[in-house]
């Protein structure tokens, strides 16, 4: 009895092992055929409309190169050369190289240097990233002298802020007390739930940290010539803040998103503008900027939506681009017939089981279960035996993995069954 | 009576495993010491803050404890092989297994001894690692690093249990099949090269797998006893 | 002559099972590496794949690193562990052959077996990847893999040396030295950078090939 | 048999010595190494002085203590020091509002800052696949585009390979071969130097050493081959190609002497002593500086825009080999074997003879005592060899001899 229960565990181990390795092996052996086309969308400041460029691979498999076609939302196509003249801001270096860059765009005097310096691109994730709670607070005046270089990292505990001198791994009591007092004076409630700074050292030095205290209030903590500077900041709305990214452009201090999916831009004067993004799209996106526009791109499954704002963050236009799903080849479809699911693990979400569509793999599972049933009957197993039933159930659910598992670990017949199978059936 | 029996059994197992166990223990301890000698050397060369910031935030992450990856596994292999392989080769276990009711108790005793030994070595590794790590780094780093080490420590139990199971299995081909299964299960545990504290979400399932795997040896020992092919 | 046949047959009985596993393992891993290479090549496109491979010197064959070592362990241990645990070798040494000859028949047998398990796989692998990769890449790739293969042979010889050593204390010390020697073969080198090390490694492998003479001499005299 | 075993034992002892010489010094250094003081030397474009900073900071207490002075020994404050090096501290000076308006009569702006180039020159080039993409040099695009083929130059001449099919493109190969032959190129190529990446603002093609050691410049202009034979009177050992500027490449000859290949195909020998051949270079529109650091000194050569020597200064280096810990190391270990990281060149480094001899003698006596204790005859040749190995290899030999015991 015990052995049979242990056998079930063993079978499960075999199923896990098979489900991690077999699909991977299968899909490496039969890689997807053909490459899907690349699509890119840009907003033309001249047309005031989107231009979509698509890179299409040639149908000849031996040929790597394809060609780029450009068209707008209404299907009107453009030549590559005319596109360069319609998307001046995106083709600065090429146009300047050819000496074709105009002096004015939309009535504004421009130079290639000006356009290049105005362009930026940054990513804002709706989910907060990796966080250890141990950060480096750099001085706002770090640039004046190297003596302001910090020798410690800080954490914000329920007892207050603590500066840990790395070389000794001890707390710098004096500095910690000074900062704790300053934070308390600003009505900060310890501990901090989360803090953010910019990966850019210059911005990080200038702004310091945005800290959420235990009452979910927002504070800005920085240091000026070894003196703490704490400021309580308004929150964009009453909801809790989910994640903060600091801006790469001087007119954007930070991008914030709150729990209900609203996205805000914080300006250098600490006022907020809510971005008119649909509430359903609470996903991470990319913010790009140029001389005229701020463009937000939100990707989703097989599609991406681009929102174009003017420099005051008023929505100008938006467009959704649909990508054709990767064409499924026969090997891919066959894989879904063969493997009911695939087990893997990711660093931050743990184990997962990726199920194929039930209607695909069900037939093979049922067929295999039938074969198992037949085999068990032929070999004189009693079908009412709970362990035999478990075996058949495993094959029905886990399909090919289950069959492999139960054949790797043979089920011993009970004494009664052995007697039955030895007695002539006729 | 039972206590005497186990004491006797444990003593016999200890005689078999002590050299392999102490040898790998020495290797593991030396590895941990070397890890921290290297870390301290880097600290003196470039400064503690720089190193700590690099360990915390560099991309790809600085896994200063990477050479510890296979140490628990190696300990399990040494104990497992020293414990079961001579028994199986010399068919010694056959003689002790002829009393059916004692069968499971004996095998559980053997496996239990191995698991205790493994736990001791793992505790020693954890203790030594923590001692140095807490001395050098703040707890914000120590906690995630310990999480990153846990799958590796757990892998030793999986390895040990599967070795016991494979060693007891009478059929050669099934031995190979079980080894393949063990290999791919271990692959799920021997993960690294991610930021510290990764695979936190995998830990409950990993622990469950470890607990479940500890019975596996009884399945093949039963087959061994029955002399199945 | 009859004794020789007899000896080889005895070795074959001990090792055949493990040698066939090793052969399968070797072939399986190499073919898997090829399949993965082919998959990446086809899905990225040859031009892109090759230029990434050449820029980043991707070690697409890194899975093979410890396979020769594993094979050497399989064959070496299956050959020498029974001799030690059963003290069988003592009996073999009473055969009408010179003791050293007997030891060397065993060692050479193991070496040939190791060669036969690994080299055909490598040849097939070379043939397969040459379909997709030009010789300018294939040759450095094989150069980078060759320390691992040499490491396999060296590990086998060292196992024989250690197995024949009669005293446990020295066995342990030899294991330490062998470990450090073997790390030389399995360093993480970028593609094409292993060439300057190969003569040294060949020398070490050659030396380890004659090392069993020393311990078997000690074994014969039963020194402790 | 006995003799063979004893001789083989000696080989094993030597193997043990090698392993120990790789392991022990490294372990020693990792355990005891102290941070050396950091000395930096730069050339000021403003005062035309060598600016030196010396870091006495203690990593343990993390106290910042840096002093600044020039080659005459005149001390500077940090602010003054930064002001002397506007190309190095541009950001700090800009934030402080202390950027100079002009340098040497030139307006200090973005354009000027963009002329800075920094990098490393090594006399051995790392391994490259002898297979490269030949870019279109005049495509009319800002950046070169990756072509669909790769070329190699073997004994059959230049061959263009289609990676998709792994087949040679006969027509293109033939047309390029013709041009190469016409320029006097003799296949196969000994080495091909270039930048096989699209991350460059202009393509300069490849520089190829042919079978006779002659230098050729190969590129593709509007799909047509271009090949130029570059006359030279040096033997090239390695080259480092530069992204577009006034140079095509730096050339090392076999004595590690450095040359520059300029865009007019002239080759100029740099007035620099090769030393160990490794240089950190930093150039802007006024000066080009080459810094060479070896065990004893840091040497900084400053060259003007035409690669003539403008100034030179050397300071004493302060690295591990000068620290007291390293001095002790020289008393302990007669030699150490290091492996160059990533390349696996095994390099044995010997210590000054007189340092380690005392320890060696001591170990020799101890070994002799052990041998006598075990009733060995010291005049036995193998015992003498044991003693000799200990005498030469000191601690390594001593341990190795004991690891592999010798039978009476």
């Amino acid at each position: 009895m015990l052995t049979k229960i242990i056998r079930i565990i063993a079978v499960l181990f075999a199923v896990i092992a098979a489900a991690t390795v077999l699909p991977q092996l299968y899909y490496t052996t039969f890689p997807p055929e053909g490459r899907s086309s690349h699509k890119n969308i840009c907003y033309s400041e001249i047309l005031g409309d989107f231009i979509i460029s698509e890179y299409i691979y040639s149908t000849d498999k031996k040929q790597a190169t394809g060609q780029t076609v450009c068209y707008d939302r209404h299907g009107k196509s453009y030549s590559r050369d005319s596109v360069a003249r319609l998307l001046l801001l995106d083709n600065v270096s090429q146009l300047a190289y050819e000496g074709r860059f105009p002096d004015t765009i939309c009535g504004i005097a421009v130079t290639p240097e000006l356009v290049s310096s105005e362009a930026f691109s940054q990513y804002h994730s709706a989910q907060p990233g990796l966080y250890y709670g141990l950060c480096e607070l750099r001085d706002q005046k770090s640039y004046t002298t190297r003596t302001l270089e910090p020798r410690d990292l800080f954490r914000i505990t329920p007892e207050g802020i603590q500066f840990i001198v790395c070389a000794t791994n001890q707390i710098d009591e004096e500095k910690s007390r000074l900062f704790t007092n300053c934070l308390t004076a600003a009505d900060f409630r310890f501990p901090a739930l989360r803090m953010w700074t910019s990966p850019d050292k210059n911005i990080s030095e200038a702004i310091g940290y945005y800290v959420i205290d235990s009452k979910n209030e927002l504070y800005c903590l920085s240091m000026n010539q070894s003196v703490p500077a704490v400021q309580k900041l308004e929150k964009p709305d009453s909801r809790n803040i989910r994640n903060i990214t600091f801006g790469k452009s001087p007119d954007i201090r930070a991008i914030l998103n709150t729990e209900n999916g609203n996205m805000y831009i914080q300006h250098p004067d600490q006022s907020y503008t809510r971005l008119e993004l649909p509430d359903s799209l609470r996903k991470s996106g990319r913010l790009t900027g140029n001389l005229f526009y701020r463009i937000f791109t939100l990707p989703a499954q097989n599609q991406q939506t681009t929102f174009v704002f003017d420099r005051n963050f008023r929505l100008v236009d938006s467009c959704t681009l649909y990508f054709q799903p990767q064409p499924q080849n026969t090997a891919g479809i066959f894989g879904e017939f063969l493997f009911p699911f695939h087990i893997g693990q990711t660093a931050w979400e743990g184990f997962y089981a990726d199920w194929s569509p039930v209607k695909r793999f069900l037939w093979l599972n049922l067929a295999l279960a039938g074969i198992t049933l037949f085999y068990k009957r032929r070999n004189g197993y009693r079908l009412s035996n709970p362990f035999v039933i478990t075996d058949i159930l495993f094959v029905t659910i886990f399909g090919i993995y289950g069959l492999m598992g139960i054949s790797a670990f043979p089920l011993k017949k009970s004494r009664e069954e052995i007697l039955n199978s030895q007695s002539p059936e006729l | 009576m039972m206590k005497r029996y186990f004491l006797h059994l444990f003593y016999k197992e200890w005689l078999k495993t002590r050299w392999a166990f102490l040898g790998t223990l020495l290797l593991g301890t030396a590895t941990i010491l070397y890890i921290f000698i290297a870390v301290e050397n880097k600290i003196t060369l470039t400064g503690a803050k720089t190193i700590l910031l690099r360990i915390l935030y560099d991309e790809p992450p600085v896994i200063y404890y990477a050479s510890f990856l296979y140490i628990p596994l190696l300990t399990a292999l040494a104990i497992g092989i020293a414990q079961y392989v001579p028994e199986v080769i010399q068919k010694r276990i056959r003689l002790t297994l002829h009393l059916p009711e004692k069968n499971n108790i004996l095998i559980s005793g053997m496996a239990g001894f191995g698991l205790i030994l493994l736990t001791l070595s793992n505790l020693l590794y954890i203790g030594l690692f923590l001692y140095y790590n807490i001395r050098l780094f703040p707890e914000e780093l120590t906690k995630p690093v310990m999480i990153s080490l846990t799958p590796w420590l757990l892998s030793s139990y999986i390895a040990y249990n599967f070795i016991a199971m494979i060693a007891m299995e009478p059929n050669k081909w099934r031995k190979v099949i079980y080894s393949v299964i063990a290999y791919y299960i271990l692959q799920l545990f021997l993960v690294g090269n991610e930021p510290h504290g990764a695979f936190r979400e995998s830990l409950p399932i990993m622990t469950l797998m470890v607990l479940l795997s500890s019975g596996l040896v009884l399945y093949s020992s039963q087959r061994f006893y029955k002399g199945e092919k | 002559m009859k004794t020789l046949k007899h000896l080889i047959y005895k070795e074959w009985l001990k090792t055949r099972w493990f040698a066939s596993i090793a052969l399968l393992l070797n072939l399986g891993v190499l073919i898997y590496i090829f399949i993965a290479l082919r998959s990446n090549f086809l899905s990225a496109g040859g031009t892109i794949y090759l230029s990434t491979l050449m820029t980043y010197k991707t070690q697409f064959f890194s899975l093979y690193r410890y396979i020769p070592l594993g094979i050497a362990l399989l064959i070496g241990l299956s050959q020498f562990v029974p001799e030690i645990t059963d003290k069988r070798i003592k009996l073999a040494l009473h055969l009408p052959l010179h003791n050293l000859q007997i030891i060397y028949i065993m060692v050479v047998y193991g070496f040939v077996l190791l060669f036969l398990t690994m080299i055909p796989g490598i040849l097939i692998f070379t043939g397969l990847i040459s379909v997709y990769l030009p010789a300018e890449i294939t040759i450095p790739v094989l150069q980078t893999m060759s320390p691992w293969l040499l490491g396999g042979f060296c590990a086998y010889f060292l196992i024989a040396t250690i197995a024949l050593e009669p005293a446990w204390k020295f066995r342990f010390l030899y294991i330490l030295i062998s470990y450090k020697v073997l790390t030389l073969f399995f360093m993480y080198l970028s593609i094409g950078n292993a060439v300057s090390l190969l003569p040294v490694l060949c020398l070490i492998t050659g030396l380890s090939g004659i090392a069993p003479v020393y311990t078997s001499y000690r074994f014969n005299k039963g020194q402790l | 048999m006995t003799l063979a075993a004893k001789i083989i034992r000696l080989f094993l002892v030597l193997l043990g010595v090698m392993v120990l010489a790789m392991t022990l010094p490294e372990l020693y250094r990792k355990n005891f190494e102290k941070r050396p003081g950091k000395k930096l030397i730069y050339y000021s474009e403003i005062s035309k002085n060598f600016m030196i900073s010396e870091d006495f900071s203690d990593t343990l207490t993390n106290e910042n203590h840096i002093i600044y002075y020039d080659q005459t020994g005149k001390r500077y404050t940090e602010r003054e020091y930064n002001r002397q090096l506007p190309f190095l501290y541009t950001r700090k000076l800009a934030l402080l509002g202390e950027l100079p308006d002009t340098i040497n009569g030139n307006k200090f702006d973005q354009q000027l800052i963009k002329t800075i180039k920094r990098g490393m020159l090594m006399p051995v080039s790392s391994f490259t696949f002898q297979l490269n993409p030949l870019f279109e040099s005049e495509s009319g695009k800002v950046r070169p585009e990756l072509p669909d083929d790769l070329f190699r130059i073997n004994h059959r001449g230049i061959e263009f390979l289609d990676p998709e099919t792994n087949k040679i493109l006969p027509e293109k190969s033939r047309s390029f071969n013709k041009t190469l032959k016409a320029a006097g190129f003799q296949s196969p190529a000994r080495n091909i130097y270039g930048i096989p990446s699209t991350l460059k603002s202009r393509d300069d093609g490849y520089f190829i050493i042919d079978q006779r050691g002659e230098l050729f410049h190969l590129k593709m202009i509007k799909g047509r081959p271009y090949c130029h034979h570059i006359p030279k009177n040096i033997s090239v050992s390695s080259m480092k190609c530069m992204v577009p500027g006034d140079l095509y490449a730096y050339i090392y000859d076999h004595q590690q002497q450095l040359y520059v290949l300029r865009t007019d195909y002239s080759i100029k020998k740099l007035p620099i002593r090769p030393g160990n051949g490794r240089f950190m270079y930093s150039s802007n529109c006024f000066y080009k500086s080459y810094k060479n650091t070896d065990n004893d000194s840091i040497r900084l050569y400053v060259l003007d825009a035409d690669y003539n020597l403008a100034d030179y200064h050397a300071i004493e280096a302060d690295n591990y080999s000068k620290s007291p810990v390293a001095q002790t190391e020289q008393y302990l270990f007669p030699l150490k074997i290091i492996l160059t990281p990533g390349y696996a060149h095994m390099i044995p480094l010997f210590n000054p003879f007189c340092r380690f001899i005392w320890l060696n003698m001591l170990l020799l006596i101890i070994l002799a005592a052990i041998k006598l204790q075990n009733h060995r005859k010291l005049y036995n040749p193998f015992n003498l060899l044991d003693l000799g190995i200990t005498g030469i290899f000191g601690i390594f030999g001593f341990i190795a001899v004991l690891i592999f015991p010798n039978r009476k």
Side-chain angles (χ1 to χ4, degrees), chain B:
Chain B
M1 175 66 203
M2 212 59 193
K3 201 175 144 196
R4 280 273 304 276
Y5 174 76
F6 272 111
L7 278 179
H8 187 78
L9 178 71
F10 280 10
Y11 182 66
K12 201 192 86 199
E13 295 301 307
W14 170 246
L15 287 185
K16 273 194 297 182
T17 50
R18 56 184 175 178
W19 289 118
F21 174 67
L22 292 176
T24 42
L25 206 61
L26 195 69
L27 181 72
T29 320
T31 309
I32 294 177
L33 289 179
Y34 186 76
I35 286 172
F36 285 100
I37 285 178
V39 167
E40 284 190 319
N41 178 246
K42 281 212 182 98
I43 285 178
T44 31
L45 287 186
T46 38
K49 194 194 74 178
T50 323
I51 290 297
L52 184 52
L53 280 175
R54 268 178 42 196
I55 289 174
L56 283 172
Y57 298 112
D58 256 20
E59 190 65 42
V62 179
I63 311 287
Y64 61 92
Y65 45 88
S67 48
F68 185 67
L69 173 57
Y70 293 111
I71 294 296
L73 182 75
L74 211 63
T75 317
L77 278 174
I79 298 174
I81 288 174
Q83 217 179 345
Y84 293 97
V85 169
E87 300 276 347
V88 174
I89 288 184
Q90 297 166 10
K91 309 260 180 334
R92 231 191 285 162
I93 207 153
R94 214 48 179 285
L95 299 172
T96 37
L97 278 181
H98 71 276
L99 294 168
E101 66 275 17
K102 284 270 184 75
N103 185 350
N104 280 352
I105 296 175
L106 172 76
I107 295 294
S108 317
M110 277 175 78
F113 174 80
L115 290 173
I116 289 171
L117 222 52
L118 212 49
T119 312
L120 283 179
S121 73
N122 280 348
L123 284 177
L124 182 87
Y125 294 150
I126 294 174
L128 199 63
F129 195 93
L130 272 178
Y131 169 73
Y132 281 103
N133 213 61
I134 288 176
R135 222 171 49 128
L136 290 174
F137 299 122
E139 61 174 312
E140 275 79 1
L141 179 65
T142 307
K143 273 183 196 160
V145 165
M146 288 324 282
I147 287 172
S148 286
L149 291 185
T150 315
W152 306 350
L153 292 165
L154 288 178
S155 77
S156 65
Y157 297 102
I158 294 277
Y160 177 81
N161 291 331
F162 269 95
I163 287 172
M165 180 201 193
I166 292 163
M168 286 288 163
E169 169 62 43
N171 183 316
K172 271 183 196 171
W173 289 108
R174 291 199 192 277
K175 274 188 188 194
V176 174
I177 293 170
Y178 298 170
S179 312
V180 172
I181 293 172
Y183 174 79
Y184 285 109
I185 297 287
L186 278 175
Q187 287 293 302
L188 297 174
F189 286 75
L190 299 171
V191 283
N193 257 331
E194 294 285 344
H196 320 285
F199 300 103
R200 180 188 281 121
E201 303 300 317
S202 302
L203 290 183
I205 292 180
M206 284 180 178
T207 319
L208 187 72
M209 278 159 82
V210 166
L211 290 177
L212 288 178
S213 72
S214 48
L216 287 177
V217 61
L218 293 178
Y219 171 73
S220 55
S221 77
Q222 192 75 19
R223 285 171 50 80
F224 188 86
Y225 160 65
K226 296 267 165 74
E228 284 182 43
K229 288 291 161 198

Side-chain angles (χ1 to χ4, degrees), chain D residues 132-147:
Chain D
N132 290 290
L134 188 62
F135 300 98
E136 171 58 57
S137 288
E138 288 177 14
S139 61
K141 295 278 170 2
V142 192
R143 291 198 181 286
E145 283 173 357
L146 195 66

